[in-house]
Amino acid sequence: MWPGDPPVVVEPVARVAAGDPADVSRLALGTHTGTHVDPPAHFLPGGATVDALPLDVLVGPSVVADFSASPGPIDARRLDSLVLPPAPPACC
């Protein structure tokens, strides 16, 4: 978290234990907090929560696209214009 960013707030709005089809929460966070992951507990009662996921499933090859020279929404058209390297071979 970046100094001065708002705190992360997680508010449950639906729960499998209460008869809902999935566990769903409202999430409020600053833009420097990161991205999100749907852990097994999102859909499966007793499934692993995000803090129990092995980190290797969250780390892998990536590409950094710099759109700073042309600000604006990063939409499908802009993403399709990227020249991306070939995907690495699957492992494991």
Side-chain angles (χ1 to χ4, degrees):
M1 186 185 280
W2 193 258
D5 276 359
V8 174
V9 178
V10 180
E11 175 190 353
V13 295
R15 289 290 171 252
V16 172
D20 296 310
D23 283 347
V24 178
S25 298
R26 180 175 291 115
L27 178 64
L29 50 91
T31 56
H32 288 106
T33 303
T35 187
H36 93 267
V37 173
D38 284 338
H42 182 63
F43 293 106
L44 304 172
T49 54
V50 72
D51 59 309
L53 294 177
L55 291 179
D56 63 327
V57 302
L58 303 174
V59 178
S62 65
V63 174
V64 176
D66 183 359
F67 289 103
S68 62
S70 58
I74 300 174
D75 56 16
R77 180 189 58 77
R78 291 181 76 190
L79 292 173
D80 287 343
S81 73
L82 294 173
V83 178
L84 299 174
C91 77
C92 313

